[in-house]
Amino acid sequence: MADPQARLAQMLAKLKARSFRITPQRLAVLQILAASRAHPGVEDIYAEVKKTFPTTSLATIYKTVALLKEINEVLEIRFFDSSRFDGNKPYPHPHILCLHCGAVLDPELPGVEALVAEAAARSGFQIVDHRLNFFGLCSDCQKT
Amino acid sequence: MADPQARLAQMLAKLKARSFRITPQRLAVLQILAASRAHPGVEDIYAEVKKTFPTTSLATIYKTVALLKEINEVLEIRFFDSSRFDGNKPYPHPHILCLHCGAVLDPELPGVEALVAEAAARSGFQIVDHRLNFFGLCSDCQKT
DNA sequence: TATTAATAAATAATCATTATCTTTAAAAAT
DNA sequence: ATTTTTAAAGATAATGATTATTTATTAATA
Ligand SMILES: [Mn+2]
Ligand SMILES: [Mn+2]
Ligand SMILES: [Zn+2]
Ligand SMILES: [Zn+2]
């Protein structure tokens, strides 16, 4: 499910199924979220959408990502004082943030499932969600 | 390092070593953070401190926890729209939050070290920090 | 005890996010 | 295609956690 086309189609299908309207601004936001692998924040999305729709309001971006969150088509990751979004993998998965350049990646961690199971077993909790965030320096930024 | 007395002594030593003053308000905040296992938020600490020092300002609580963060004597855990603090284990460790009653626990997860290592190895990052948060229902809240 | 610098208290400012309100336009009905 | 309905866009105000600022206290040192 990492194909931008498929992701966009999936998002559109979900919106249509719940009879939400497909507006040009929404479509633009969906396309950005489906295509970007950079985990953009609202301001990033806003800047991008404005290229094609200059009158777009920031509130529209907020409302659209909130809607996508509600229908589980985007994952919100709260970093220090703002959020970033993943429209490619809209389910809980770990992230790693470079404290120097701000890059956010999706590391492949096969150990995650076992850790979630361990957390449930040891705590007695019924776990429904998680945010596993690592912070450090990416390989590029280590060189400087 | 889970003994409140030892933790308080450690915090005081660190403050004194860096010649920060030990005021009654600060001492009160330290005691609460050293003793509480509930991962209190600023408002919780504020309410508690006001019992002994009714004129205390909320800003004082914020400034004190910020100071403790700077000297690595408290860990901040950002949940949805506010932060909670751990003065017992002021180093990165996993947390589990009950979405129903708001309880925050420290699960013992031996698998964490391996996961951090895995994240570093697979991403090429030099990892310096992490926040591993699980969300769900505690055993009590599952019964209702 | 007086001096000085750090801290507390009070309160204003910040800023990401959310809410409100009016205008616009998507989609359905005619 | 036109009309109708109503969700959504745009503009802007409000919110609320946190931070900054300003003044008044007070701890530390001489
Ligand atoms: Mn991701
Ligand atoms: Mn903890
Ligand atoms: Zn980097
Ligand atoms: Zn609970």
Side-chain angles (χ1 to χ4, degrees), chain A residues 4-25:
Chain A
Q5 307 293 349
R7 281 298 303 136
L8 180 61
Q10 164 73 6
M11 289 173 169
L12 285 170
K14 210 86 159 288
L15 286 178
K16 282 175 188 164
R18 310 202 180 187
S19 52
F20 287 110
R21 293 177 182 173
I22 310 301
T23 66
Q25 294 86 346

Side-chain angles (χ1 to χ4, degrees), chain A residues 78-81 96-99 103 105 107-112 115-116 118-120 122-139 142, chain B residues 78-81 96-99 103 105 107-112 115-116 118-120 122-139 142:
Chain A
R78 295 201 178 196
F79 287 120
F80 303 94
D81 41 8
I96 186 159
L97 165 73
C98 178
L99 298 169
L105 304 183
E108 282 302 317
L109 302 181
V112 165
L115 193 75
V116 175
E118 190 176 51
R122 288 183 171 252
S123 66
F125 273 59
Q126 177 189 338
I127 294 176
V128 299
D129 197 5
H130 61 75
R131 289 294 181 278
L132 308 178
N133 299 329
F134 300 91
F135 306 95
L137 291 178
C138 72
S139 38
Q142 284 174 46
Chain B
R78 295 203 179 195
F79 287 120
F80 303 94
D81 41 7
I96 185 159
L97 164 72
C98 178
L99 297 168
L105 304 183
E108 282 301 317
L109 302 181
V112 165
L115 193 75
V116 175
E118 191 175 52
R122 288 183 171 252
S123 66
F125 272 59
Q126 177 189 340
I127 294 178
V128 298
D129 197 5
H130 61 75
R131 289 295 182 279
L132 308 179
N133 299 330
F134 300 91
F135 306 93
L137 292 177
C138 72
S139 38
Q142 284 174 47

Side-chain angles (χ1 to χ4, degrees), chain A residues 63-132:
Chain A
K63 281 183 285 195
T64 305
V65 296
L67 174 61
L68 291 173
K69 246 197 313 178
E70 272 182 35
I71 64 174
N72 293 306
E73 286 299 324
V74 77
L75 182 78
E76 180 173 13
I77 311 121
R78 295 201 178 196
F79 287 120
F80 303 94
D81 41 8
S82 67
S83 285
R84 294 175 68 169
F85 299 88
D86 190 331
N88 293 290
K89 300 166 71 179
Y91 46 83
H93 61 277
H95 288 94
I96 186 159
L97 165 73
C98 178
L99 298 169
H100 187 259
C101 69
V104 172
L105 304 183
D106 291 337
E108 282 302 317
L109 302 181
V112 165
E113 273 188 54
L115 193 75
V116 175
E118 190 176 51
R122 288 183 171 252
S123 66
F125 273 59
Q126 177 189 338
I127 294 176
V128 299
D129 197 5
H130 61 75
R131 289 294 181 278
L132 308 178

